[in-house]
Amino acid sequence: MNPLTDQPTDPRQLAIQDFVYDLPPGRIAPEPLPDRAASRLLVNRGGVIEDRIFRDLPGELPAGALLVFNDTKVVRARLLAHRPTGGAVELFCLEPVAPHRALEPALAQMGACTWRCLVGNGRRWKEGPVAVEFIAPDGQPATLWATRQARESGGTALINFRWAPGALTFAEVLQGAGRLPLPPYLGRPDTDADAVRYQTVYAAHEGAVAAPTAGLHFTPELLAELQAQGFETAHVTLHVGAGTFQPVKATRMAEHPMHTEPLLVTAALLRQLLAHRPRPVIAVGTTSLRTLESLYWLGAALATGEAAGPALAVGQWQPYENAADVSVEAALGALLRHLEASGTNTLQASTRLLIGPGYRFRLVQGLITNFHQPESTLLLLVAALLGPGWRAVYDHALAHGYRFLSYGDSSLLLPGQDRI
């Protein structure tokens, strides 16, 4: 136990019921504000809480800060197909299986492919294909057929897709046939407005099935103002998976399986992080934070010779099992040497990193984020950053009318020096 917090120093021993707060349904924002930067901004600076508007952000950031954004782009991964009899079947594309497991080549695949999908209303889907009629990018009619190859536990199945015209990529198929996968707690279908507002203005790389929502508050004008005031910015790519909505059902976190998400960063980003030290790094969103902290553990494994095989990955409990004290500079340097030896400028890896109270941050000194669900791994991450002070932040937000979850308001969390 940590005598200052009465919390275990290893997140595996945490009880998720200790991270509960009362979130009335009426406090969940069902729609985005028309003006992205008009959202409210709660600023927590070393335990002192102030209320601002998001466009005030440049005046609230620490001097010399580097803001790191996740530039993933949400794909239209929700398919509403129909059986020959007319009955509907919902397919939510989670991850590619064949002929490619990596997202980029899977989305570029033509003609046919296999994905793991969540299946809704599938009890009456006995056999044979279901279909979606859609309009291709050239304006011509097209058809997607889906056949269930194998059922899995938890409501998922391996789904074989084929389509005509076969020259379309699967990304083009999803763009025409799919629907935007809004968070299930919104309880409504997506609209034309969501197609714009559920993407960040800097989204670049397709692959996410949920938006990195902290970035939804930024506008081109606000980004230009940050640049004009001398703040550095950088981008990473972590494709947010459906597991981000996965509730924690285990009594202890040791029994909760963290989802895997692919990440991509460039050698230029690694060099920028090295050159920026020791000035503060502010993660825009929990996905950016997990990516940055995962970089440290990827590099530490390389520096100590513990990385096994060509596929680099961060395990769920790696930080709590690894006693090696590798400097940030050494970890980032090891990643750069790995890229040079591999003849590439882009690091592709995956992470299952779970950050909770007891975690020691290596690269990040602050976080911009929305307000998260009770009993979620995202709330655990906030508690790791703020310590017991997370409750004061959420109590203040509830008492002062802040809007919660994906389309809700934002916060700038700057812990005191004793927390980093």
Side-chain angles (χ1 to χ4, degrees):
M1 289 287 199
N2 182 333
L4 298 179
T5 65
D6 291 329
Q7 290 284 4
T9 55
D10 185 334
R12 285 173 289 195
Q13 302 307 314
L14 290 171
I16 195 62
Q17 60 262 32
D18 291 337
F19 298 87
V20 177
Y21 69 91
D22 182 24
L23 178 58
R27 302 303 297 277
I28 299 174
E31 307 280 350
L33 295 179
D35 179 0
R36 293 176 185 261
S39 297
R40 298 180 68 192
L41 177 70
L42 182 153
V43 179
N44 178 82
R45 188 177 284 102
V48 177
I49 297 174
E50 297 178 305
D51 301 309
R52 298 287 185 266
I53 301 299
F54 197 81
R55 60 171 46 92
D56 298 331
L57 178 67
E60 301 298 329
L61 292 168
L66 165 65
L67 274 69
V68 181
F69 299 83
N70 181 7
D71 63 7
T72 188
K73 188 173 185 178
V74 182
V75 295
R76 300 173 70 89
R78 183 169 165 257
L79 297 161
L80 299 179
H82 290 86
R83 306 193 310 275
T85 58
V89 174
E90 181 173 340
L91 302 173
F92 189 168
C93 297
L94 298 179
E95 59 181 358
V97 175
H100 306 286
R101 288 187 174 272
L103 271 168
E104 290 189 7
L107 290 171
Q109 178 66 26
M110 298 180 182
C113 61
T114 301
W115 279 61
R116 176 169 286 106
C117 300
L118 277 171
V119 180
N121 197 29
R123 290 186 177 181
R124 296 185 179 181
W125 182 21
K126 302 302 182 183
E127 59 183 16
V130 294
V132 184
E133 306 287 338
F134 65 100
I135 301 300
D138 62 0
Q140 298 301 309
T143 305
L144 170 69
W145 295 275
T147 304
R148 185 163 47 201
Q149 172 183 317
R151 297 174 186 264
E152 298 180 323
S153 61
T156 66
L158 298 184
I159 303 296
N160 294 329
F161 292 109
R162 59 183 178 88
W163 55 90
L168 297 174
T169 67
F170 194 56
E172 291 172 322
V173 170
L174 290 179
Q175 183 62 30
R179 307 292 297 269
L180 204 66
L182 289 182
Y185 49 68
L186 291 184
R188 64 174 179 82
D190 62 305
T191 65
D192 290 343
D194 293 312
V196 175
R197 287 294 277 109
Y198 198 60
Q199 300 279 14
T200 63
V201 297
Y202 48 82
H205 302 288
E206 288 188 322
V209 298
T213 54
L216 297 179
H217 306 282
F218 286 86
T219 63
E221 295 77 14
L222 184 54
L223 292 171
E225 183 180 350
L226 288 167
Q227 183 177 16
Q229 294 197 21
F231 291 104
E232 288 186 61
T233 60
H235 293 86
V236 297
T237 305
L238 183 140
H239 293 308
V240 189
T244 193
F245 301 122
Q246 179 181 352
V248 178
K249 297 180 179 179
T251 302
R252 297 280 172 180
M253 291 307 299
E255 300 157 5
H256 174 74
M258 193 69 173
H259 54 287
T260 300
E261 290 170 319
L263 63 87
L264 298 92
V265 300
T266 63
L269 179 275
L270 298 173
R271 288 191 287 268
Q272 186 178 7
L273 290 171
L274 272 171
H276 190 78
R277 293 186 60 78
R279 291 170 292 168
V281 173
I282 308 298
V284 179
T286 57
T287 58
S288 295
L289 187 149
R290 288 182 66 238
T291 302
L292 289 168
E293 292 297 312
S294 294
L295 290 180
Y296 171 82
W297 293 106
L298 292 168
L302 287 169
T304 58
E306 295 179 7
L312 295 180
V314 181
Q316 178 169 341
W317 305 114
Q318 185 172 331
Y320 316 104
E321 297 170 343
N322 190 322
D325 192 11
V326 178
S327 71
V328 171
E329 290 77 7
L332 295 177
L335 287 173
L336 284 167
R337 290 191 297 274
H338 171 78
L339 291 180
E340 184 177 357
S342 303
T344 179
N345 285 317
T346 302
L347 174 71
Q348 298 189 43
S350 64
T351 183
R352 296 183 62 223
L353 177 61
L354 189 148
I355 296 176
Y359 181 85
R360 181 165 69 87
F361 291 86
R362 265 69 176 191
L363 277 164
V364 172
Q365 286 76 44
L367 173 65
I368 296 169
T369 190
N370 288 14
F371 298 96
H372 304 294
Q373 290 180 298
E375 298 183 290
S376 65
T377 57
L378 302 181
L379 188 57
L380 283 179
L381 186 153
V382 171
L385 189 69
L386 297 181
W390 76 266
R391 286 196 176 275
V393 167
Y394 275 68
D395 286 347
H396 181 96
L398 287 165
H400 290 79
Y402 280 76
R403 302 160 72 242
F404 277 60
L405 305 188
S406 294
Y407 274 147
D409 294 316
S410 186
S411 63
L412 171 61
L413 307 179
L414 302 171
Q417 290 298 313
D418 61 321
R419 299 295 314 164
I420 297 293

